[in-house]
Amino acid sequence: MGMQASAHIVWDWNGTLFHDNTAIIGATNAAFAELGLAPITMEEYRALYCVPVPKFYERLMGRLPTDAEWLIMDEIFHRYYAEHRLTCGLTEGAAELLAGWRSAGGSQSLLSMYVHDELVPLVREFGIEPHFIRVDGRTGPSGGSKAEHMVRHLSALTGVDPARTVVIGDAADDAVAALHVGARAVLYTGGSHGRASLEAVGVPVVDSLAEAVTEAERLAA
């Protein structure tokens, strides 16, 4: 890697740097069980998942959940996830890639829709916080898009040009958020979406984080 110092990566957390697929599908099925819905497989999840999350539930239920149902499902999802994420770790090679990008002169930050007050200690626990110039999790209610969060995230970064910024994530919404601020995106197939749904977005799709960083370097040149 030999990028200029102004190249910047905005990383996603869940399903990208943090390999938490088993906790996600378990939490989803725990939420479904509360409403008497049948469990789904990881393959079904990856084929149907979308943001905002209530639309995902609509695909499975045939209707949008009521406000009361959404609150119940959201609470159960996060309670189950908080317990089971403890068995999850970083995606293979993630720590080395973060260190490599930083040492080569690129800057990077982390923007997640995971709760901010839970995200920061988790990132710190893995020893990767020093690689980021900023770490932002979600504040406010869950279930929305990342686009407006991306606006606030980039506006808080000094000297970062959206035109030389690449968002790396595992969901179509990561690409939508990138395009919303004039940045580029690379989508990784190891998380919440299958390749087919990611390719429909029209941005580069890769099967490893190493490929994602290589592609980000090319896009930010």
Side-chain angles (χ1 to χ4, degrees), residues 200-218:
V201 182
V203 303
V205 176
V206 299
D207 296 319
S208 72
L209 293 188
E211 292 175 272
V213 171
T214 298
E215 190 66 19
E217 182 178 0
R218 184 186 69 81

Side-chain angles (χ1 to χ4, degrees), residues 1 8-18 97-98 101 107-112 132 146 150 165-175 177-178 183-190 203-206 208-217 219:
M1 285 183 278
H8 185 80
I9 291 176
V10 178
W11 290 93
D12 173 56
W13 180 245
N14 302 97
T16 303
L17 289 175
F18 190 45
L97 289 166
L98 293 172
W101 181 267
S107 63
Q108 55 200 332
S109 58
L110 176 59
L111 175 62
S112 173
F132 304 112
K146 206 173 199 177
M150 186 68 72
T165 295
V166 180
V167 176
I168 298 178
D170 69 315
D173 192 52
D174 291 303
R184 307 285 192 89
V186 179
L187 297 179
Y188 162 62
T189 62
V203 303
V205 176
V206 299
S208 72
L209 293 188
E211 292 175 272
V213 171
T214 298
E215 190 66 19
E217 182 178 0
L219 292 172

Side-chain angles (χ1 to χ4, degrees), residues 2 7 20 40 49 64 80 108 110 114 125 127 131 136 146 196:
D20 59 351
I40 63 171
Y49 181 75
L64 280 170
Y80 183 102
Q108 55 200 332
L110 176 59
Y114 190 44
E125 186 179 303
H131 297 313
D136 281 332
K146 206 173 199 177

Side-chain angles (χ1 to χ4, degrees), residues 59-89:
R59 290 180 174 184
L60 294 162
M61 298 169 65
R63 61 175 176 81
L64 280 170
T66 65
D67 290 345
E69 288 172 334
W70 165 250
L71 289 174
I72 291 170
M73 295 172 82
D74 192 48
E75 191 277 329
I76 291 172
F77 177 95
H78 285 97
R79 175 155 41 86
Y80 183 102
Y81 179 84
E83 295 171 4
H84 289 79
R85 69 163 175 77
L86 300 175
T87 63
C88 302

Side-chain angles (χ1 to χ4, degrees), residues 120-145:
V120 172
L122 185 55
V123 172
R124 192 168 293 152
E125 186 179 303
F126 282 113
I128 58 175
E129 187 182 24
H131 297 313
F132 304 112
I133 61 174
R134 187 176 180 88
V135 174
D136 281 332
R138 173 179 55 80
T139 57
S142 62
S145 172

